[in-house]
Amino acid sequence: MDPIRNPYAPGAGQRPPELAGRDEQLDRFTVVLERIRRGRPERSMILTGLRGVGKTVLLNALRSAAVRARWGTGKYEARPEQGMRRPMAAALHVAVRELGHPRGEEVDHVLGVIKAFAQKDQPGAKLRERWNPGIDVPAVTGRADSGDIEIDLVELFTDVGGLAADVGKGVAIFIDEMQDLASDDVSALCAACHELSQNALPVIVVGAGLPHLPAVLSASKSYSERLFRYNRIDRLSREAAARALQSPAEDEGATWSTEALGEMYAATGGYPYFIQAYGKEVWDLAPASPITAEDVRVGSPEAEAELAVGFFGSRYERATPGEREYLRAMAEVAAERLAEGEDVDEVGSVATADLAAHLGRKPQSLSPARDALLKKGLIYSGERGRIAFTVPHFGRYLLSQS
């Protein structure tokens, strides 16, 4: 097959594998936009799932849908140890500009509030040393500048929502890796979304994060479940995975045999990132159409080698020796339980007590490694006393390493 026209290469095609099988989420979001446009109450949205299921790609697609609806939009990626003020201010600045409201006193006021909110990130700094978000109006005094992130975010969202309502549009802020928000910022975000719902203002937050994100939100505000519509993004069904492979190939005049599609699903587990990675390598090595099961078997080692470096290896390298011991123990315990016939899911959900027994250590001595891995986003706790990998097939990768 022509490697130059590889439809599975990153960025190739108009509908990548990450979006196959996501019609339900796209359709639901279109309804959300329309409901808010008509002034009806609607909740913000949260997408959760493991690494590699296409959350970021879906988040970008939802943003594109909001842009087509002529909403104001902004997006940023949360990072550990990073405060919310600067990235949120930058995202809202973009959103206000996209609203297309004629510049005037009201717009300048909202821009000044955004600027005041951002500059409170450096309390006590001299004027010339303050971070400037690129807004060419003076910062407003006495609005979103109290220094209390919860008070300030509520005031900021209220003013932005009022401006959007004046022009009959909405504002959507998209936050990726939302589980990495600081606890104070999570609390502020929940409070701001609650205020928006109480006043029916046309502003929503669309967040994406790891499976434990709902627990993070719930721990911050007990009423968080009433603020967000939760959407679990999982691996693709066999039918959706087949479409993710067939559609790009058909655009290039090629097809996959039924047996090849079965081999691909067995190798990838239906995870979109893996479908794209395996699809790229198999396409490059397949001599002709239709692509066969043998082509998949020939291309799979190349895909696995690429994933071992870029997807698995890059994450493994972030762990210390003690943390690597913990990760490998997770993989070994999961494999043992599976061999004994227990229903252990493939991402390696195991009991922390079993880990301690496997390593011959006291549970308390493993807490530092566990906490560090949680902060690095390599594992998550879906329920008390159990942990799992955030990366599909990570246990398989660890067991394959010497």
Side-chain angles (χ1 to χ4, degrees), residues 94-171:
V94 173
V96 168
R97 292 173 61 195
E98 287 184 356
L99 283 176
H101 196 299
R103 280 295 292 268
E105 184 176 338
E106 187 175 2
V107 174
D108 286 351
H109 170 80
V110 173
L111 291 174
V113 172
I114 294 174
K115 189 171 186 177
F117 176 82
Q119 290 185 339
K120 208 62 181 178
D121 189 49
Q122 299 170 294
K126 296 179 181 179
L127 183 61
R128 66 175 180 273
E129 296 173 351
R130 292 182 183 176
W131 177 69
N132 189 335
I135 298 175
D136 60 351
V137 299
V140 171
T141 301
R143 193 70 176 163
D145 63 352
S146 71
D148 184 312
I149 185 64
E150 188 166 316
I151 294 173
D152 293 349
L153 192 64
V154 168
E155 293 180 348
L156 179 62
F157 274 17
T158 299
D159 288 2
V160 171
L163 181 67
D166 285 346
V167 293
K169 298 181 181 180
V171 166

Side-chain angles (χ1 to χ4, degrees), residues 98-395:
E98 287 184 356
L99 283 176
H101 196 299
R103 280 295 292 268
E105 184 176 338
E106 187 175 2
V107 174
D108 286 351
H109 170 80
V110 173
L111 291 174
V113 172
I114 294 174
K115 189 171 186 177
F117 176 82
Q119 290 185 339
K120 208 62 181 178
D121 189 49
Q122 299 170 294
K126 296 179 181 179
L127 183 61
R128 66 175 180 273
E129 296 173 351
R130 292 182 183 176
W131 177 69
N132 189 335
I135 298 175
D136 60 351
V137 299
V140 171
T141 301
R143 193 70 176 163
D145 63 352
S146 71
D148 184 312
I149 185 64
E150 188 166 316
I151 294 173
D152 293 349
L153 192 64
V154 168
E155 293 180 348
L156 179 62
F157 274 17
T158 299
D159 288 2
V160 171
L163 181 67
D166 285 346
V167 293
K169 298 181 181 180
V171 166
I173 297 301
F174 299 83
I175 306 176
D176 205 359
E177 302 293 347
M178 197 169 168
Q179 75 282 340
D180 287 335
L181 289 174
S183 58
D184 287 348
D185 292 341
V186 172
S187 180
L189 196 62
C190 290
C193 288
H194 185 255
E195 186 72 14
L196 292 171
S197 64
Q198 292 291 306
N199 294 289
L201 291 171
V203 178
I204 60 170
V205 173
V206 184
L210 294 173
H212 65 290
L213 177 55
V216 171
L217 295 169
S218 179
S220 176
K221 296 288 187 184
S222 59
Y223 54 76
S224 64
E225 69 277 0
R226 302 196 305 269
L227 303 176
F228 302 102
R229 184 188 298 274
Y230 293 102
N231 295 267
R232 178 66 185 265
I233 310 302
D234 208 341
R235 56 183 176 168
L236 301 180
S237 65
R238 285 182 177 271
E239 294 75 17
R243 289 198 304 272
L245 289 164
Q246 289 171 323
S247 295
E250 289 171 358
D251 290 342
E252 299 297 331
T255 60
W256 291 74
S257 71
T258 301
E259 293 76 13
L261 293 173
E263 287 279 347
M264 283 290 285
Y265 196 81
T268 65
Y271 289 100
Y273 188 89
F274 297 154
I275 290 173
Q276 189 162 23
Y278 277 75
K280 177 182 179 299
E281 298 300 333
V282 172
W283 178 277
D284 282 349
L285 295 174
S289 176
I291 298 172
T292 66
E294 179 60 25
D295 294 331
V296 175
R297 288 189 283 271
V298 170
S300 290
E302 296 293 329
E304 290 161 6
E306 182 69 24
L307 289 167
V309 175
F311 191 68
F312 300 119
S314 61
R315 288 170 168 80
Y316 185 69
E317 290 299 323
R318 294 166 52 197
T320 66
E323 293 161 9
R324 292 176 186 177
E325 179 188 34
Y326 192 96
L327 292 171
R328 186 172 181 86
M330 285 179 61
E332 291 170 348
V333 169
E336 290 172 1
R337 296 291 179 269
L338 189 62
E340 293 170 2
E342 292 189 19
D343 184 16
V344 178
D345 64 48
E346 64 181 293
V347 294
S349 174
V350 296
T352 53
D354 290 343
L355 275 181
H358 180 79
L359 291 170
R361 305 264 294 276
K362 293 182 178 180
Q364 304 93 303
S365 69
L366 298 176
S367 295
R370 174 183 177 274
D371 292 345
L373 291 169
L374 286 168
K375 290 180 180 178
K376 291 177 180 179
L378 295 177
I379 63 174
Y380 74 98
S381 178
E383 57 182 295
R384 187 174 179 83
R386 297 190 70 84
I387 51 169
F389 295 118
T390 61
V391 179
H393 296 181
F394 199 47

Side-chain angles (χ1 to χ4, degrees), residues 70-90:
R70 303 182 68 81
W71 278 43
T73 68
K75 178 176 179 274
Y76 77 94
E77 179 181 317
R79 298 175 183 174
E81 314 303 329
Q82 178 194 48
M84 175 188 284
R85 289 185 182 268
R86 290 193 188 188
M88 179 63 78

